[in-house]
Amino acid sequence: MVEKYSIRTDLALEDTERFEEDNIEVSGVTVEEEWDEEREIRITTVRILTENGAKTMGKPVGTYVTLEAPNLAVPDEGYHREVSVTLARFIRTMLPRKEDCQILVAGLGNREVTPDALGPWVADNLNVTRHIIKEYGKYAMAKENVCSVSAIAPGVMAQTGMETVEIIRGIVKETKPDVLIAVDALAARNSRRLNRTVQIADTGIRPGSGVGNHRNGITRETIGIPVVAIGVPTVVDAATIVSDTMENLLAAMETSETLKGVGVVLQGYSAAEKYELVKELIAPHLNGMYVTPKDIDETMKRMSFTLSEGLNILFEREEEEGQG
Amino acid sequence: MVEKYSIRTDLALEDTERFEEDNIEVSGVTVEEEWDEEREIRITTVRILTENGAKTMGKPVGTYVTLEAPNLAVPDEGYHREVSVTLARFIRTMLPRKEDCQILVAGLGNREVTPDALGPWVADNLNVTRHIIKEYGKYAMAKENVCSVSAIAPGVMAQTGMETVEIIRGIVKETKPDVLIAVDALAARNSRRLNRTVQIADTGIRPGSGVGNHRNGITRETIGIPVVAIGVPTVVDAATIVSDTMENLLAAMETSETLKGVGVVLQGYSAAEKYELVKELIAPHLNGMYVTPKDIDETMKRMSFTLSEGLNILFEREEEEGQG
Amino acid sequence: MVEKYSIRTDLALEDTERFEEDNIEVSGVTVEEEWDEEREIRITTVRILTENGAKTMGKPVGTYVTLEAPNLAVPDEGYHREVSVTLARFIRTMLPRKEDCQILVAGLGNREVTPDALGPWVADNLNVTRHIIKEYGKYAMAKENVCSVSAIAPGVMAQTGMETVEIIRGIVKETKPDVLIAVDALAARNSRRLNRTVQIADTGIRPGSGVGNHRNGITRETIGIPVVAIGVPTVVDAATIVSDTMENLLAAMETSETLKGVGVVLQGYSAAEKYELVKELIAPHLNGMYVTPKDIDETMKRMSFTLSEGLNILFEREEEEGQG
Amino acid sequence: MVEKYSIRTDLALEDTERFEEDNIEVSGVTVEEEWDEEREIRITTVRILTENGAKTMGKPVGTYVTLEAPNLAVPDEGYHREVSVTLARFIRTMLPRKEDCQILVAGLGNREVTPDALGPWVADNLNVTRHIIKEYGKYAMAKENVCSVSAIAPGVMAQTGMETVEIIRGIVKETKPDVLIAVDALAARNSRRLNRTVQIADTGIRPGSGVGNHRNGITRETIGIPVVAIGVPTVVDAATIVSDTMENLLAAMETSETLKGVGVVLQGYSAAEKYELVKELIAPHLNGMYVTPKDIDETMKRMSFTLSEGLNILFEREEEEGQG
């Protein structure tokens, strides 16, 4: 397979699109698409089944569910509520066992940087219950089947001097939850997905993902309990957006009527030569820079509320669902 | 000794004042006072030496240094800097061993409630270095003798569902600092001390202290390493301020010219009877209420900066001091 | 009438209670009480009809509607929504004319001080529309009868160096709204009313009211358009809570079995003498201090959301209501 | 002159660089460069003298002073202080008359979006004095020659529903300052200038400038008093960074050894044809997107503090300077 200029995305969905363009089938990876017509949500489930698939995709073996709901951009409270309910349903399928109901939610990211504040904002809106259940028992809560929920917004390494995984692992060992739900802002490749897409994965958080670049992964291996990762893309890497446009330029040149002479010449060059050309021109000072929309505050405020509501609904575990 | 209506204060200094009024010597407790004339700082060192002293004072055995600097109310940058330097000097005397230089700072409290946000604000302004030293060694830092500093603002139980001590203990076990410095907003008895007084103690944080009422103590016993507690009073308990004024009322009545008949009658009653009278009248709804000044934001912003600067100065450990 | 120790409250309802205790009828003031059984909201309408009534009450002529909903303390979203709807209905009755639909909302107070941040938080959650209507007309909005809404959080004098009324008057002259709705945190006398009571008044904001003490009133006289004031008590003045308890003490003494001798003596003294006694003892350093509950952040977050939702519902003016 | 693909920059300095590259002299524009060796600050003064110059530059007639201090990236307090002093000196030269000492500072931008929060953060740190001088006179201030300073952070149109100029004009008419100083986050073309460059201009704020895109200008014409604009670039437009890189690509192709055939072909095409090619490929969804560094919070916090300190120094107007 021809190696393309490496595109940074945290969405497994976008990795598969990379191959679809070229009509390449990736062995060890399955993709299923569902369309919730009523709510206008596209649900894509990417399953990476083998180590080979993982290598090709650049993501670990596991299941990645992506909900795309373009209408999330609109401040319609009723619609956001429906998405919360749908989210609760899909997050539940990721929880390893039905009876695991002691949950720690980690709101990852830096609350001082708007596009990285998703995790902390979600943590802020959660209904935590662990301390109440611990003191008064489950009967103290209005609903009997309520989960024990705790939450932490640990900050980022530049604020704490510690790896996020060190903090989380320490808290997990002390408080012994059944499962960690890690919420984080993600980087997408396609700017149209920002703040209206949610990815739920049973793989944990991997090095280099997220806006804040948590160096060491937060996974079952590193913290000892299953990790469900929930992410919303809030930024596109600056290098990604530039290289993306430049690939378009080269492609256009090869077929351009105006510049068809260029096309002819370019066709004589290998992908590797073109790749080198692009790479050179993406200035090193673009490292650590990201692209984000100007109305990020409003869309993120809504999105983080929709996410925390989804988690609150999930953790309440109505009677009927407990029986189902 | 006649038991007075119990006054809530986190300052050991104010406990001693309670006894001074009555000219009572408390066995097992020593008090030393120093006056820094140049900087106009009153420094009081209270040492609780015996369990008996601890019981009388209502505070654990240990050393409590209080710096009172009324001029901290004035926004004079140069003066605040001098107080930072003085603070660094006194905090250093509390560190168990000279060579302990791996420090975790815990900024306790709730950043959403202004008078409880002192700890988180101090954590925000710290120069954390642990991650840099871990990756590049001490030589990466401009100064060779720099300490390894990490920081966490864990939030309060109502936000996290976890006891603060659980979070801290977990992080301490994972990251193995030599000492914990816990910064917290305190309750004072005297409103004139708010935001211009700092208490440094080698005893850790005790149950029921602080604005946010951390149920379980954060002490050497509970987390396994020495704990230096730094606190600034930012509130007075509402019950305290009321009972304080009422004691004044009763005292005034006993000597009042206008109401001298009352005084005569009151003198016939025991302290216990008067205490009952006061207790009944402090309505239960005052529980969980505090008194705080209206300009709390400005004075706390300055004070938290002065504190974090004190810590930053301390952790830099200049060459000369390293040799001293 | 015997002048009592002056109690600071911004709630007209609490002024009337002062007189009720003494069975005094205040001429020029009417009080109506309504009980919304379904929603458990007590609605009290105080009308100050004459200048004499105004003088006795210490509040200007006008109508004051107070909604007391103790259940607002509970985080029940459905219930808060119902209160929002009720609020919208009552605020509408205060608007001078049905067709006045160009609204400026002023969120008064200091967003850096939690109990004073109510106004700014309400402004943050409003759906402003003026700029959209100005550019695209009303048809651009989903609903035809939508009002033109603008909002400002001007900050407080210590931040701006300007009287709030100067800022508001300037903006009103430039943007010409029909009516100003001023939202502000209030001081109550009774701490049980904090964060679960809303007062709506057609009198504007008066000097000395609110947490932040806006020196010059924001009224029809000073800004040239009608002013509807919406307030939620978030604090009790420290002096109020102390003097309140002390009055209880004196009252108790007069009837106390334990101290009945005192009662006999006190009965011989005039109200003025007792008032002097209390006044002396409320230390001057209590000025500028307030009492506020520890969970202020959560209750205020909910309450400000309920208020802004009430305003959003009001401004949308459904079709049916437009016809009514 | 060949029209290049239009680059968005708020820095006059960067407009001149565009012409320098092509060795074009722009009539009606002068550029002076100064190097403060001690402080390592490059100071460039661009003067647009004629309407013709203004048209070519895309900026109004006036003086633009740019201070570039790469070391501002380093958290060295002493150095930041020196830059504050230098800033005060240059801002003073922009004030229309020496005796104009009633200053309104407008902190423009959205405090909820980190890279747009510069203006509000600067306003937060200012020493406002107008209310004190108005009440007690200048002698109340420690320094006799102190200016009357007021400040406002009006928010952005999406929050207020009003044009920023409407709010400012209203406040100016009411409070009658001599001069407005408007502080705003800017867009640069070169990402290396972010958060370490300050532009001071006597032209006011123009439509389409700033991060938040204030539609109508804030200028002497629109508000009636002189406007000094102070800006710090905090973002690069996403479209700018992409088009910039693509121009590099085209330039590289024309001279590339690897692809020299392409170069030959491209040389046959006009600038207009190449411009069209680039324009097509910058996707419309890049509108409203910006590029910003990940450590924006720390660098902006420092920079806004340095700016507000510069203004505080300026407004204090020491005795000696008053005589100078």
Side-chain angles (χ1 to χ4, degrees), chain C residues 5-45:
Chain C
Y5 184 77
S6 157
I7 293 297
R8 159 90 189 283
T9 174
D10 296 324
L11 297 176
L13 169 64
E14 293 190 335
D15 286 313
T16 65
E17 287 173 340
R18 198 158 41 110
F19 301 113
E20 275 164 26
E21 281 165 27
D22 303 337
N23 286 313
I24 291 165
E25 272 220 17
V26 183
S27 80
V29 177
T30 67
V31 182
E32 249 175 77
E33 217 178 289
E34 194 183 323
W35 173 246
D36 182 334
E37 194 163 355
E38 201 189 318
R39 294 181 187 82
E40 298 186 51
I41 306 177
R42 186 163 77 115
I43 297 144
T44 313
T45 305

Side-chain angles (χ1 to χ4, degrees), chain A residues 114 191 249 258 269 285 290 292, chain D residues 114 191 249 258 269 285 290 292:
Chain A
T114 314
S191 62
L249 172 65
T258 338
Y269 292 87
H285 65 265
Y290 56 65
T292 197
Chain D
T114 314
S191 62
L249 172 65
T258 339
Y269 291 87
H285 66 265
Y290 55 67
T292 197

Side-chain angles (χ1 to χ4, degrees), chain A residues 103-276:
Chain A
I103 315 279
L104 172 62
V105 177
L108 307 180
N110 181 350
R111 69 166 74 238
E112 303 297 317
V113 177
T114 314
D116 199 23
L118 180 88
W121 290 3
V122 169
D124 287 352
N125 284 322
L126 276 184
N127 298 337
V128 296
T129 55
R130 180 176 174 273
H131 57 308
I132 301 168
I133 291 172
K134 239 185 129 185
E135 185 142 4
Y136 304 105
K138 293 213 173 188
Y139 294 93
M141 309 298 298
K143 280 154 184 156
E144 205 184 317
N145 287 301
V146 77
C147 286
S148 160
V149 181
S150 53
I152 188 82
V156 297
M157 196 162 67
Q159 296 170 321
T160 64
M162 299 178 277
E163 302 271 0
T164 303
V165 69
E166 294 179 295
I167 299 172
I168 302 288
R169 186 166 47 214
I171 294 172
V172 164
K173 282 186 188 166
E174 279 301 312
T175 63
K176 300 193 174 35
D178 299 320
V179 62
L180 177 78
I181 295 182
V183 182
D184 202 4
L186 302 179
R189 173 181 173 169
N190 185 329
S191 62
R192 269 168 304 216
R193 289 210 169 88
L194 299 186
N195 287 312
R196 58 197 68 177
T197 304
V198 184
Q199 176 176 276
I200 312 164
D202 61 5
T203 56
I205 304 273
R206 291 288 149 173
S209 69
V211 175
N213 205 344
H214 317 288
R215 221 104 53 83
N216 290 337
I218 300 169
T219 62
R220 183 172 212 147
E221 288 72 42
T222 58
I223 67 161
I225 56 169
V227 182
V228 175
I230 303 179
V232 172
T234 62
V235 300
V236 175
D237 252 341
T240 299
I241 224 160
V242 172
S243 86
D244 224 17
T245 320
M246 289 177 73
E247 275 189 27
N248 292 346
L249 172 65
L250 293 179
M253 279 176 147
E254 295 188 23
T255 56
S256 163
E257 276 309 300
T258 338
L259 296 168
K260 77 184 135 190
V262 177
V264 173
V265 176
L266 279 172
Q267 277 157 26
Y269 292 87
S270 71
E273 281 166 322
K274 283 185 276 181
Y275 167 78
E276 274 310 304

Side-chain angles (χ1 to χ4, degrees), chain C residues 96 100 165 168-173 176-180 217-227, chain D residues 174:
Chain C
D100 288 338
V165 68
I168 302 288
R169 185 165 50 214
I171 294 173
V172 165
K173 283 186 188 167
K176 300 191 174 37
D178 299 320
V179 62
L180 176 78
I218 300 169
T219 62
R220 183 172 212 145
E221 288 72 42
T222 58
I223 67 160
I225 56 169
V227 181
Chain D
E174 279 301 311

